[in-house]
Amino acid sequence: MRPNRLLVSFILVTLSVYAQLSEADVPPEGVPNLAKSKKDRQKSEKLPPCRACTVLVNSFRDGMKRTERSKHDGGDAAWEEERLGSYKTSELRLVEIQEGLCRDVGRGEDQCHLLAEEHEPQIEEWWKEHQTAQPDLHQWLCVEQAQVCCPDGFYGPNCDPCPSCFGNGKCKGNGTRKGNGKCACEEGYGGDNCDSCGPEHYEAFRDEGKLLCSRCHKACAAGGCTGAGPNACRVCRSGWIMDSQRGGCTDIDECITANTCTKQQFCVNNEGSFSCLECDKSCDGCDGDGPDMCKKCTDGYELRDGMCTDVSSEKRNQYVAFTRYLTYLGLCIATCIVLQSSTWLAALVGLAVAVYISVSEYWLNTEPQGTPAPSPKILEELLQQ
């Protein structure tokens, strides 16, 4: 019995340890089982110095808007002006702003709180002494005191002026103490100052302070172009050929030179390429879209008035009509059989049969028929008139 008791004790101890470990690994209710949620990662994200200072200043400005009239929302105008004027620059309002500082800024919230503590003396100094003379807190704190930013249009440790980039790019490091001040040109522009056109673009407009570059025609290859349209291309793309007489690129009609469409397809030439489209279902080979462009009609269709027409439906209608007339004949024969036993009963049955036949034929003959759609050839002729 002793070995059994030892085994039971061992199992109980193992289960107890496992339960404790499981409870330690289970996250609290409502908390996702992740090392860090997306929100936590954004809060702890470290921003560049200038960006972090800008986030702090923007949060402070939001606090100023939030407390702008929070203490005086009505009453006597003179009293309000006197009290509001004292509250506007009061330490009480500064404390209220600082209490909500860096809340809900998203990215870099933890860094924002650290900066707020680090620059608290400078913020208080600006609030008490410089708020009126220098109302731009970002310029005073981030540019002049912390020296992590530059004014707009300046870059680098010494806040050197940015080049103009001809209005077609941005200065690298603009507004920060970073960057090399070189122009990052927009698409289609090049050069140190974005004052020339990039590959596959041409100069559409230029004056002393403005340059406009436009993309070359799609017929032009990497060699670029001298102006607008395919005739200005220096080199042609695949699907185009250089015209030695007129110059520029001319589209190749692949439907003539390299038609790879199947028998049940027809070729449509596009600029620089071609497409294979399916023939109409009535066609056994075709030269274009529609039943009037068939080379030959497929089974169940006949050529009528230049179009392949479905004849299977006509045969089906003939069969239905023949069956209907046989039904009428059967009803008449049944009426004659009844007539031999009872004249009155035969009269009633005959009347019912006559009404049935009359109503059926009237309904079939007055049923609206769908107007067939005109063929593409007919539409083309109408448009040309």
Side-chain angles (χ1 to χ4, degrees), residues 201-224:
H201 288 76
Y202 67 94
E203 187 177 296
F205 174 81
R206 176 190 286 272
D207 60 14
E208 295 181 356
K210 182 65 178 178
L211 170 66
L212 177 62
C213 296
S214 298
R215 181 175 290 277
C216 294
H217 191 272
K218 60 182 178 180
C220 304

Side-chain angles (χ1 to χ4, degrees), residues 25-59:
D25 293 337
V26 174
E29 184 179 356
V31 178
N33 189 16
L34 298 170
K36 277 188 176 182
S37 66
K38 181 179 180 180
K39 186 175 181 180
D40 291 336
R41 290 196 300 270
Q42 289 181 343
K43 288 176 61 177
S44 59
E45 184 177 347
K46 187 172 179 61
L47 303 176
C50 182
R51 176 60 181 162
C53 187
T54 302
V55 168
L56 172 62
V57 170
N58 290 339
S59 179

Side-chain angles (χ1 to χ4, degrees), residues 311-332:
V311 295
S312 61
S313 61
E314 293 182 1
K315 295 179 179 179
R316 185 168 54 252
N317 292 336
Q318 292 174 359
Y319 174 76
V320 171
F322 178 73
T323 305
R324 187 172 75 251
Y325 293 141
L326 284 180
T327 303
Y328 295 161
L329 179 61
L331 292 174
C332 293

Side-chain angles (χ1 to χ4, degrees), residues 76-358:
D76 181 68
W79 178 87
E80 179 181 347
E81 182 178 356
E82 179 184 354
R83 294 295 182 180
L84 185 59
S86 60
Y87 171 75
K88 181 179 179 181
T89 57
S90 67
E91 189 171 350
L92 173 62
R93 186 185 180 193
L94 175 61
V95 172
E96 290 178 354
I97 294 173
Q98 289 177 325
E99 286 178 353
L101 206 57
C102 299
R103 290 182 183 174
D104 301 325
V105 298
R107 297 175 56 190
E109 183 175 335
D110 294 343
Q111 186 180 10
C112 180
H113 285 293
L114 293 175
L115 282 179
E117 294 181 8
E118 179 182 350
H119 296 300
E120 184 176 357
Q122 288 89 342
I123 293 176
E124 291 182 358
E125 179 184 349
W126 175 83
W127 182 262
K128 296 177 181 178
E129 301 178 9
H130 306 283
Q131 184 179 171
T132 303
Q134 293 181 281
D136 189 350
L137 177 59
H138 183 271
Q139 172 70 23
W140 191 86
L141 178 62
C142 301
V143 177
E144 298 177 6
Q145 300 299 315
Q147 296 184 353
V148 293
C149 295
C150 290
D152 185 44
F154 296 83
Y155 77 96
N158 301 320
C159 289
D160 298 320
C162 285
S164 67
C165 299
F166 231 65
N168 298 316
K170 294 182 179 180
C171 169
K172 294 181 179 179
N174 178 39
T176 73
R177 300 276 173 159
K178 306 292 184 180
N180 55 15
K182 292 184 178 180
C183 292
C185 300
E186 298 174 358
E187 183 183 0
Y189 297 89
D192 293 339
N193 198 32
C194 303
D195 54 358
S196 62
C197 294
E200 299 185 35
H201 288 76
Y202 67 94
E203 187 177 296
F205 174 81
R206 176 190 286 272
D207 60 14
E208 295 181 356
K210 182 65 178 178
L211 170 66
L212 177 62
C213 296
S214 298
R215 181 175 290 277
C216 294
H217 191 272
K218 60 182 178 180
C220 304
C225 61
T226 58
N231 293 334
C233 297
R234 294 191 181 98
V235 182
C236 299
R237 290 187 184 274
S238 175
W240 303 77
I241 188 171
M242 182 64 70
D243 191 332
S244 58
Q245 296 180 353
R246 296 186 305 170
C249 298
T250 302
D251 176 45
I252 299 174
D253 191 346
E254 292 86 355
C255 294
I256 298 176
T257 61
N259 187 357
T260 58
C261 299
T262 65
K263 179 183 177 182
Q264 287 302 107
Q265 294 177 330
F266 64 94
C267 182
V268 176
N269 185 50
N270 305 321
E271 283 194 339
S273 64
F274 68 99
S275 302
C276 292
L277 303 180
E278 296 296 327
C279 293
D280 190 84
K281 63 179 181 178
S282 63
C283 299
D284 183 12
C286 65
D287 295 319
D289 188 22
D292 58 331
M293 300 297 290
C294 300
K295 294 180 179 179
K296 180 182 176 182
C297 296
T298 189
D299 294 340
Y301 292 83
E302 290 182 359
L303 185 63
R304 296 180 181 177
D305 298 328
M307 297 179 59
C308 290
T309 306
D310 185 7
V311 295
S312 61
S313 61
E314 293 182 1
K315 295 179 179 179
R316 185 168 54 252
N317 292 336
Q318 292 174 359
Y319 174 76
V320 171
F322 178 73
T323 305
R324 187 172 75 251
Y325 293 141
L326 284 180
T327 303
Y328 295 161
L329 179 61
L331 292 174
C332 293
I333 294 174
T335 303
C336 293
I337 294 174
V338 174
L339 180 61
Q340 297 179 0
S341 59
S342 174
T343 304
W344 288 103
L345 182 59
L348 292 175
V349 173
L351 179 62
V353 170
V355 171
Y356 171 76
I357 293 174
S358 300

